[in-house]
Amino acid sequence: VQLQASGGGLVQAGGSLRLSCAASGRTFSNYIMGWFRQAPGKEREFVAAISRNAGRTDYADSVKGRFTISRDNNKNTGYLQMNGLKPEDTAVYYCAADRSAATSSLRTKYIEYDYWGQGTQVTVSS
């Protein structure tokens, strides 16, 4: 599956952005989807994940209550709604797909994901 992330940009602290991840090539609903981010000089870190049918979600503690992951399998697109953005949210955001079985637990380690988009820059000014 090919993934294309978009929607990043420059926003002031407290603002909002919605990232999109468009999938093509394979049936999107066959994959668990995740979002990760990587700031300069730091390792790629887990942000959120959503199960194949959107019945389960998981979030990093740092974004709980501010970010919402969702997906529309009919549109082959996943989303990350980011509210209450903080300067420490500044990073390149990547969407990823995991081909694990539908009943698998949601993965939080980047090495467990099989496919990656190209990343979209999010910059939050103070």
Side-chain angles (χ1 to χ4, degrees):
V1 64
Q2 290 80 46
L3 303 173
Q4 179 86 24
S6 62
L10 174 63
V11 64
Q12 288 189 332
S16 299
L17 282 173
R18 187 174 84 153
L19 305 183
S20 297
C21 179
S24 62
R26 300 273 179 98
T27 304
F28 182 56
S29 59
N30 286 344
Y31 298 88
I32 293 168
M33 191 189 77
W35 286 95
F36 288 76
R37 65 187 182 186
Q38 188 166 18
K42 294 188 177 182
E43 289 193 354
R44 191 168 299 190
E45 66 173 359
F46 171 75
V47 175
I50 188 167
S51 61
R52 294 184 181 189
N53 64 357
R56 293 177 289 138
T57 57
D58 192 14
Y59 296 92
D61 288 342
S62 58
V63 307
K64 278 181 183 175
R66 299 188 298 125
F67 290 11
T68 302
I69 189 171
S70 62
R71 65 191 298 161
D72 185 339
N73 287 338
N74 291 325
K75 295 182 178 179
N76 292 329
T77 303
Y79 304 97
L80 184 69
Q81 177 67 44
M82 306 186 294
N83 299 328
L85 283 162
K86 304 175 181 179
E88 51 263 45
D89 294 319
T90 295
V92 177
Y93 283 70
Y94 299 89
C95 59
D98 170 14
R99 59 189 175 191
S100 296
T103 55
S104 297
S105 58
L106 299 179
R107 314 297 191 188
T108 61
K109 294 182 174 62
Y110 70 87
I111 60 173
E112 295 173 311
Y113 282 75
D114 303 294
Y115 303 97
W116 290 86
Q118 85 290 1
T120 184
Q121 176 71 47
V122 172
T123 303
V124 184
S125 63
S126 56

